[in-house]
Amino acid sequence: MVETLMLISLVLFSFTILIAVYRIIKGPSKPDRVIALDMIGVNLLASIAVVSCILLTKAFMEVILILGILSFIGTIAFSKYIERGIIVERRHNR
């Protein structure tokens, strides 16, 4: 019963990732695309966690941690690029 529910949740996470990919392609604005990328990252993390529970292993926990950090950094970088037009600010006060 629990394994069936986890498989259903994997299908639903896959469906939401497809919806987010559509939003990235057809998004009316750049912030919509950034939110869709963040949504893909969160759903990917949840999908990996469900697969880890189905396989009864803790081997994917490091992958979840690394992908979470990269997704967060990517969202911050895209947001900063949209707001200011640059990602890394260089000061020329020498």
Side-chain angles (χ1 to χ4, degrees), residues 47-63:
S47 298
I48 294 171
V50 170
V51 168
S52 179
C53 290
I54 289 173
L55 297 177
L56 299 174
T57 183
K58 294 182 180 179
F60 298 116
M61 295 303 161
E62 292 88 9
V63 174

Side-chain angles (χ1 to χ4, degrees), residues 53-80:
C53 290
I54 289 173
L55 297 177
L56 299 174
T57 183
K58 294 182 180 179
F60 298 116
M61 295 303 161
E62 292 88 9
V63 174
I64 293 171
L65 181 64
I66 290 170
L67 282 176
I69 292 169
L70 289 176
S71 175
F72 174 73
I73 291 171
T75 302
I76 296 299
F78 278 126
S79 299
K80 192 171 182 181

